[in-house]
Amino acid sequence: LLAALLALGRVALAREAWYVDVPPAHWAHEYVRVLYEEEVTDGWGPPLYSLTWYFPERPINRAEYTLMMAKAFRLEPDPQPQPFFRDVPPELLLYSRLPALPWIEAARQAGIIKGTPDGLFQPLDPTRRDAAVAILVRALGLGPTAAALPREEADAFLRPFRDAHLVDPSLYKEMALAVKLRIVVGYPDGTLKPGNYLKRSEAAAVLYRSALFVLDASPNPFSPDGDGVEDTTVIRTRTLKNRNVREWHVYIGTLQGQVFYAVGSPGGQPPPAFAWNGRDANGRPLLPGTYYYWGWVADRRGQRFQAVMKPLVLERLSLTGAVRPTEVSPGGALTVLAWTLGGAETVTALWPDGATQPLAPAGRQTGDGNEWTASRRLPADFPEGEHSVRLVARFRNGVRTAAVKFRVTVPFTLQAQVTPNPAYRGWTVTAEALASPGADLVAVAWPWGEETVLQPADARRQAWRGQISVPGDLAPGRYPVAFTARRGQRTVAVTVTLEVRAHPLEEVQFVLTD
């Protein structure tokens, strides 16, 4: 019991003991204090932590900075870490008590930190300012954005600083993006001082200004064009853990700070996430382009914590299509058409029989999109029924698919005759029909009110035949005989004229003479 109480007391004192070397007069007091309350900082002290030191003016080493970053961005230490860097052994301790390996591995797996080409992390080396900025950029989820930054644009943002050439070449784009997004503003003398070592007080200031309110938008890019695919982006919020947020605001606008859309509340916590549909505050759709989102929260003491500005790409990517004609016979020709918005690089048609066919640009613009086309003749044995062609459009930043339908119809024809024709009353006549293969039924409606179901005369159910006697009392004349054939839901009809005559003996006149 005593051991348990001592352990609990040690945990409580670890959070209650404030750093004796960060008095209220210190310039970084508020930064360190907030991070301390958020359980991000660590210091040195005796076993029961009744007194602790932060050493604010000491350079922060790479392992300590990684630990702060991991805690600030809510990473969980790897419970069973395997050493990746050769110079980070399991026995390496930070602040004489915290194993470094679980936190360093968590940060490495999250893509926040990188090592040297020969597999070293150099955990006890002081942290350069450019390395600290690069790690922060990656922790904010902006690593891919930095990698995609054109070299010319990176040069344009770093050129105003006299010592930009001192930035580590492997960290150049991360530093340029940090300047673009105003994460880094430089010193009054026009320098970045990228090779200077970051102090522990400065590390607290960096995290205070960038990690206590974090916004992430996904998908990014998104495409609010009404096709049901990525029509909205969801902006997720991550804010202070131990402080009561009393007010929050999020803005979407330009890099220069012009606001097109805003959401927030003067009271309460921000929601975990909210959606944006690419429209401004008046409901008008915004043009395609790169926008930026940022915001701030205020705690119960009125302190504001900024969310770093991040880019959000709004695109118009869509794909629609059609097949002409919509109904065709086996062996017939079809043309598939596609219309794309957003500058598709390729469009491909995937046919139901497994054929793959690229579409070619039609050579003209249709509004703000492109038209694509391809033609194909179907195989002669293509099955009857409704089919779909799947269209796949590949854009620089995504893929869109659409399905267009067409129907294959085997022609259904019917030819018929009655023999003999003319026929005499009382004679037997034969009804013969030749239908398209696979007919289900062929029937004959006779003019005297009877109906005959013909019987198939061959295996393909093309030829049909049946017989009937002409009534003996039927008046001579010309009569319609209606043939009807059915296959599935389809029917076809044809009418044959039957001439009925009186029997020749009925026309013989007998004259008796004496």
Side-chain angles (χ1 to χ4, degrees):
L1 179 59
L2 178 59
L5 289 174
L6 287 173
L8 289 173
R10 186 175 296 116
V11 172
L13 286 171
R15 284 295 93 197
E16 291 171 1
W18 172 243
Y19 308 119
V20 298
D21 54 351
V22 188
H26 194 284
W27 72 268
H29 174 272
E30 194 57 42
Y31 304 147
V32 178
R33 185 77 199 186
V34 169
L35 292 175
Y36 169 82
E37 294 177 0
E38 290 292 306
E39 301 177 11
V40 171
T41 61
D42 290 282
W44 290 263
L48 293 181
Y49 302 96
S50 57
L51 293 173
T52 55
W53 285 263
Y54 185 70
F55 297 119
E57 303 311 310
R58 177 187 293 180
I60 188 168
N61 67 38
R62 289 169 55 82
E64 293 167 358
Y65 185 71
T66 299
L67 173 62
M68 285 184 68
M69 194 68 60
K71 287 187 173 184
F73 285 92
R74 311 291 190 258
L75 297 185
E76 293 293 333
D78 187 337
Q80 295 180 322
Q82 298 297 317
F84 179 84
F85 301 112
R86 293 187 289 111
D87 54 351
V88 184
E91 61 270 17
L92 178 63
L93 296 179
L94 298 177
Y95 307 101
S96 304
R97 68 184 187 280
L98 294 176
L101 181 60
W103 295 99
I104 290 175
E105 272 304 294
R108 183 191 68 81
Q109 293 168 22
I112 293 176
I113 59 171
K114 300 178 181 179
T116 63
D118 53 353
L120 300 177
F121 182 63
Q122 300 164 331
L124 302 183
D125 285 2
T127 305
R128 285 172 50 112
R129 284 177 54 84
D130 52 5
V133 169
I135 290 173
L136 175 62
V137 165
R138 296 183 206 124
L140 289 167
L142 295 171
T145 304
L149 193 69
R151 177 71 188 206
E152 298 78 11
E153 187 176 349
D155 289 341
F157 281 106
L158 292 183
R159 192 177 297 117
F161 299 97
R162 293 187 289 108
D163 57 352
H165 63 284
L166 299 177
V167 175
D168 185 326
S170 67
L171 310 174
Y172 191 83
K173 289 190 175 183
E174 283 99 336
M175 179 65 83
L177 181 65
V179 171
K180 176 180 179 179
L181 300 179
R182 294 189 287 280
I183 298 172
V184 171
V185 296
Y187 290 91
D189 62 356
T191 63
L192 290 169
K193 298 181 172 47
N196 283 18
Y197 295 141
L198 193 72
K199 297 178 181 179
R200 289 177 54 80
S201 55
E202 293 172 328
V206 166
L207 290 178
Y208 178 98
R209 294 167 181 159
S210 57
L212 298 180
F213 184 35
V214 179
L215 302 173
D216 288 300
S218 179
N220 184 9
F222 78 114
S223 175
D225 42 40
D227 63 357
V229 180
E230 298 181 347
D231 281 333
T232 61
T233 187
V234 175
I235 299 178
R236 292 173 174 81
T237 66
R238 191 167 68 247
T239 186
L240 307 179
K241 182 167 60 176
N242 296 324
R243 303 168 72 85
N244 293 326
V245 172
R246 294 295 179 85
E247 185 173 359
W248 67 278
H249 295 273
V250 175
Y251 309 97
I252 299 172
T254 66
L255 182 63
Q256 294 72 30
Q258 180 184 2
V259 175
F260 295 129
Y261 181 82
V263 61
S265 171
Q269 296 271 349
F274 63 91
W276 183 53
N277 60 4
R279 295 175 179 267
D280 66 13
N282 296 314
R284 296 178 297 230
L286 295 178
L287 295 174
T290 299
Y291 297 87
Y292 293 83
Y293 61 105
W294 68 95
W296 56 269
V297 296
D299 70 3
R300 63 183 182 273
R301 297 165 60 185
Q303 297 181 105
R304 284 193 180 190
F305 304 92
Q306 304 289 333
V308 168
M309 179 179 280
K310 292 184 176 182
L312 177 56
V313 178
L314 188 157
E315 298 179 320
R316 303 286 180 190
L317 305 183
S318 67
L319 169 66
T320 56
V323 174
R324 309 267 174 78
T326 57
E327 188 168 339
V328 69
S329 301
L334 287 174
T335 297
V336 59
L337 301 168
W339 296 274
T340 60
L341 290 175
E345 297 176 344
T346 62
V347 179
T348 305
L350 306 179
W351 293 87
D353 62 348
T356 300
Q357 183 179 25
L359 276 65
R364 67 179 187 274
Q365 292 282 327
T366 55
D368 60 348
N370 294 316
E371 183 175 325
W372 307 70
T373 184
S375 296
R376 182 195 181 198
R377 185 170 294 281
L378 296 180
D381 59 350
F382 204 95
E384 188 175 18
E386 188 174 77
H387 302 276
S388 292
V389 180
R390 184 167 175 258
L391 300 176
V392 179
R394 298 192 178 277
F395 299 84
R396 180 176 57 87
N397 290 322
V399 175
R400 293 291 183 272
T401 63
V404 289
K405 295 181 178 181
F406 67 96
R407 175 173 288 278
V408 175
T409 304
V410 176
F412 192 26
T413 60
L414 178 65
Q415 300 174 12
Q417 66 176 2
V418 177
T419 57
N421 189 5
Y424 292 97
R425 293 187 298 190
W427 281 24
T428 297
V429 294
T430 300
E432 297 177 303
L434 187 63
S436 296
D440 301 320
L441 175 76
V442 178
V444 182
W446 299 96
W448 50 85
E450 291 189 64
E451 182 173 303
T452 302
V453 175
L454 306 187
Q455 298 300 312
D458 64 351
R460 297 189 65 195
R461 303 175 72 85
Q462 284 184 278
W464 300 74
R465 184 174 293 109
Q467 291 183 325
I468 196 171
S469 295
V470 178
D473 58 354
L474 185 66
R478 297 171 64 84
Y479 294 93
V481 179
F483 286 75
T484 302
R486 186 182 70 217
R487 185 177 65 193
Q489 301 298 317
R490 301 184 62 195
T491 60
V492 63
V494 66
T495 300
V496 174
T497 300
L498 172 64
E499 183 179 354
V500 177
R501 296 179 179 177
H503 195 278
L505 293 179
E506 296 180 29
E507 299 175 353
V508 175
Q509 296 183 5
F510 293 92
V511 179
L512 298 176
T513 60
D514 54 5

